[in-house]
Amino acid sequence: RHRFTLAVLGETPSHGNILFRDFKASILTSLESARYYSILVGFPILGDQFPFANRVGNIGRNTYRGDPTYTTDLRVQRLIPFSERLKGAISCEASTSLIGPMSWT
């Protein structure tokens, strides 16, 4: 039902100290509240030739609540000039995905 997305991008200048120039970094975070879903049998048990699965018993639609989802992606990239016209890039990415309530111990 609710989703929050945050994207942060940063870049160092292409001039200055050779160790710290031409870097790019980005962080993408997404927080989603729990989604509601229906429990299905998996096959049409009513014999009505309807091609989709039927719900279990007298349970209504969207009565079960799933878990919230939290994801964060991090990317760091560095441009490497080989000549005046030719440049390459080295990048490193990391991703985390937490499904369910976060517990701190």
Side-chain angles (χ1 to χ4, degrees):
R1 301 223 184 218
H2 297 85
R3 177 182 291 179
F4 173 76
T5 303
L6 175 68
V8 178
L9 308 170
E11 185 174 352
T12 61
S14 60
H15 58 280
N17 190 343
I18 194 167
L19 294 176
F20 301 112
R21 67 181 173 198
D22 292 327
F23 274 100
K24 295 180 180 182
S26 63
I27 298 173
L28 178 62
T29 300
S30 179
L31 310 172
E32 296 182 39
S33 64
R35 292 186 180 183
Y36 289 89
Y37 60 95
S38 301
I39 300 293
L40 300 176
V41 175
F43 57 92
I45 60 172
L46 298 177
D48 56 2
Q49 302 302 318
F50 191 65
F52 304 108
N54 298 114
R55 290 191 298 275
V56 178
N58 294 328
I59 299 173
R61 293 180 55 219
N62 299 327
T63 54
Y64 287 92
R65 189 176 130 189
D67 293 326
T69 305
Y70 313 103
T71 59
T72 300
D73 300 321
L74 172 67
R75 178 184 171 106
V76 177
Q77 181 179 19
R78 174 126 194 229
L79 296 176
I80 300 172
F82 295 115
S83 67
E84 187 174 321
R85 296 181 58 165
L86 184 63
K87 293 182 182 179
I90 296 175
S91 64
C92 179
E93 296 181 11
S95 178
T96 62
S97 178
L98 297 173
I99 298 174
M102 297 176 71
S103 61
W104 304 96
T105 57

